[in-house]
Coordinates of all heavy atoms in Angstrom, one line a residue:
Chain P
Y86 N 35.3 56.0 35.5 CA 34.0 56.1 34.9 C 34.1 56.3 33.4 O 34.8 57.2 32.9 CB 33.2 57.3 35.5 CG 32.9 57.2 36.9 CD1 33.8 57.8 37.9 CD2 31.7 56.6 37.4 CE1 33.5 57.8 39.2 CE2 31.4 56.6 38.7 CZ 32.3 57.2 39.7 OH 32.0 57.1 41.0
C87 N 33.3 55.5 32.7 CA 33.2 55.7 31.2 C 31.9 56.6 31.0 O 31.0 56.5 31.8 CB 33.0 54.3 30.6 SG 32.8 54.4 28.8
A88 N 32.0 57.5 30.0 CA 30.9 58.4 29.8 C 30.7 58.6 28.3 O 31.6 58.4 27.5 CB 31.1 59.7 30.5
L89 N 29.5 59.0 28.0 CA 29.1 59.2 26.6 C 28.3 60.4 26.4 O 27.5 60.8 27.3 CB 28.3 57.9 26.2 CG 27.5 57.9 24.9 CD1 27.2 56.4 24.6 CD2 26.1 58.6 25.0
S90 N 28.5 61.1 25.3 CA 27.6 62.3 25.0 C 27.3 62.2 23.5 O 28.0 61.6 22.7 CB 28.3 63.6 25.4 OG 29.2 63.9 24.4
N91 N 26.3 63.0 23.1 CA 26.0 63.1 21.7 C 26.9 64.1 21.1 O 27.2 64.1 19.9 CB 24.5 63.4 21.5 CG 24.1 64.7 22.2 OD1 24.7 65.1 23.2 ND2 23.0 65.2 21.8
F92 N 27.4 65.1 21.9 CA 28.2 66.2 21.3 C 28.9 66.9 22.4 O 28.2 67.6 23.2 CB 27.4 67.1 20.4 CG 28.2 68.1 19.7 CD1 29.0 67.7 18.6 CD2 28.2 69.4 20.0 CE1 29.7 68.6 17.9 CE2 28.9 70.4 19.3 CZ 29.7 70.0 18.3
G93 N 30.2 66.9 22.5 CA 30.9 67.6 23.5 C 30.4 67.2 24.9 O 30.3 66.0 25.2
N94 N 30.1 68.2 25.7 CA 29.7 67.9 27.1 C 28.2 67.8 27.2 O 27.7 67.7 28.4 CB 30.1 69.1 28.0 CG 31.7 69.2 28.1 OD1 32.3 68.2 28.1 ND2 32.2 70.4 28.1
E95 N 27.5 67.8 26.1 CA 26.0 67.9 26.2 C 25.4 66.6 26.7 O 25.7 65.5 26.1 CB 25.5 68.2 24.8 CG 24.0 68.6 24.8 CD 23.6 69.3 23.6 OE1 24.4 69.9 22.9 OE2 22.4 69.2 23.3
K96 N 24.7 66.6 27.8 CA 24.0 65.5 28.3 C 24.9 64.3 28.5 O 24.6 63.2 28.0 CB 22.8 65.1 27.4 CG 21.5 65.7 27.9 CD 20.3 65.0 27.2 CE 19.1 65.2 28.0 NZ 17.9 64.7 27.4
L97 N 26.0 64.5 29.2 CA 26.9 63.4 29.4 C 26.3 62.3 30.3 O 25.7 62.6 31.3 CB 28.1 64.0 30.2 CG 29.5 63.4 30.0 CD1 29.9 63.3 28.5 CD2 30.5 64.2 30.8
T98 N 26.4 61.1 29.8 CA 25.9 59.9 30.5 C 27.0 59.1 31.0 O 27.9 58.7 30.2 CB 25.0 59.1 29.5 OG1 23.9 59.9 29.0 CG2 24.5 57.8 30.2
F99 N 27.0 58.8 32.3 CA 28.1 58.1 32.9 C 27.7 56.6 33.2 O 26.5 56.3 33.5 CB 28.5 58.7 34.3 CG 29.3 60.0 34.1 CD1 28.7 61.2 33.8 CD2 30.7 60.0 34.3 CE1 29.4 62.4 33.7 CE2 31.4 61.1 34.2 CZ 30.8 62.3 33.9
G100 N 28.7 55.8 33.2 CA 28.5 54.4 33.7 C 28.6 54.4 35.3 O 28.8 55.5 35.9
T101 N 28.4 53.3 35.9 CA 28.4 53.2 37.3 C 29.8 53.1 37.9 O 30.0 53.2 39.1 CB 27.6 52.0 37.8 OG1 28.0 50.9 37.1 CG2 26.1 52.3 37.6

Side-chain angles (χ1 to χ4, degrees):
Chain P
Y86 295 93
C87 182
L89 168 160
S90 79
N91 54 340
F92 187 71
N94 295 325
E95 192 164 337
K96 264 193 158 176
L97 208 55
T98 299
F99 285 81
T101 51

